[in-house]
Amino acid sequence: MSNNNELKQDIRTEQDIELMVNSFYDKVNQDALLSYVFNDFSKVDWDTHLPKMYRFWNTLIFGAQSYKGNPFAMHIPLPVEAKHFERWIALFDKNMDELFAGEVAEETKLRAKSIAHVFQSKLAYLKN
Ligand code: HEM
C-alpha cells in the first residue's frame, strides 16, 4: 500500500479509466522488457490501442459493452513468458495504487491478475 490512501478516491468515471490506462502504458513504455514487445515487436499504434483499452476497461468495470473483440487472440504471436506477465501485473498494481484507492480499484487489480493468469496458462499450453 502506498501512502496518502485517505486522499485517494476510487475509480468512478470514464475519465478515471482513461487516466488509469494512459499512466499504465506510460509505465509500460518506460519498461524495457514490456516496451520491446509493444513497440519493437508489435509496433503498436498507440492512438488506436489506448482508446481500445479505455473501451475494454469500461466494459469490464462499468459494463459499458463498448469493447468487442478477442483479447486473447492478439497475444498468441507475442514473445512473452512468465517474466513478462509478472512485470505487467506489477506495473498494473503499482499504477493503480498510485492513483486510486477503494473497492473498484481492488476488484480491477484482481480481474487484471486473473486475466493475466488465464492468458499465461493458455499460451503455455499452446506453445508446449
Ligand atoms: C505480458 C503481458 C502483456 C503484453 C506484453 C501485452 C501486449 C499486447 C499487445 C502487443 C497487444 C496488441 C496491440 C495492437 O497491436 O494493437 C495487446 C492487445 C490487448 N491486450 Fe495485452 N498484453 C499483455 C497482457 C494483457 C492483459 C493481462 C490484458 C487484460 C487484463 C490485456 C488486454 C489486452 C486487450 C484488451 C488488447 C486489445 C485486443 C484487441 O485488439 O481487441 N493484455 N496486448
Side-chain angles (χ1 to χ4, degrees), residues 73-97:
M74 300 294 294
H75 299 80
I76 296 174
L78 303 182
V80 290
E81 48 187 90
K83 64 181 176 188
H84 297 87
F85 283 99
E86 279 160 25
R87 184 70 54 82
W88 192 103
I89 291 167
L91 290 184
F92 194 89
D93 282 0
K94 178 179 178 355
N95 183 56
M96 188 69 88
D97 291 342

Side-chain angles (χ1 to χ4, degrees), residues 38 42 44 49 52-53 56 67 74-75 78 84 88 115-116:
F38 281 89
S42 288
V44 164
H49 188 59
K52 194 185 282 178
M53 298 312 292
F56 177 75
Y67 172 79
M74 300 294 294
H75 299 80
L78 303 182
H84 297 87
W88 192 103
I115 296 168

Side-chain angles (χ1 to χ4, degrees), residues 20-117:
M20 175 193 89
V21 168
N22 292 341
S23 55
F24 172 64
Y25 287 103
D26 281 347
K27 289 183 169 59
V28 164
N29 280 324
Q30 287 163 31
D31 182 273
L33 187 68
L34 292 179
S35 176
Y36 171 80
V37 180
F38 281 89
N39 295 304
D40 300 301
F41 183 85
S42 288
K43 302 192 168 42
V44 164
D45 173 4
W46 291 102
D47 291 341
T48 308
H49 188 59
L50 294 176
K52 194 185 282 178
M53 298 312 292
Y54 306 153
R55 294 194 294 276
F56 177 75
W57 286 110
N58 268 307
T59 297
L60 256 70
I61 297 172
F62 297 131
Q65 297 193 317
S66 49
Y67 172 79
K68 304 265 182 302
N70 178 353
F72 175 66
M74 300 294 294
H75 299 80
I76 296 174
L78 303 182
V80 290
E81 48 187 90
K83 64 181 176 188
H84 297 87
F85 283 99
E86 279 160 25
R87 184 70 54 82
W88 192 103
I89 291 167
L91 290 184
F92 194 89
D93 282 0
K94 178 179 178 355
N95 183 56
M96 188 69 88
D97 291 342
E98 281 173 6
L99 295 171
F100 300 102
E103 271 177 39
V104 180
E106 289 305 314
E107 174 69 21
T108 304
K109 285 192 285 179
L110 286 179
R111 302 273 303 263
K113 211 165 290 173
S114 133
I115 296 168
H117 287 145

Side-chain angles (χ1 to χ4, degrees), residues 75-81 121-128:
H75 299 80
I76 296 174
L78 303 182
V80 290
E81 48 187 90
S121 45
K122 283 169 87 171
L123 285 176
Y125 177 78
L126 286 177
K127 290 177 182 180
N128 282 316

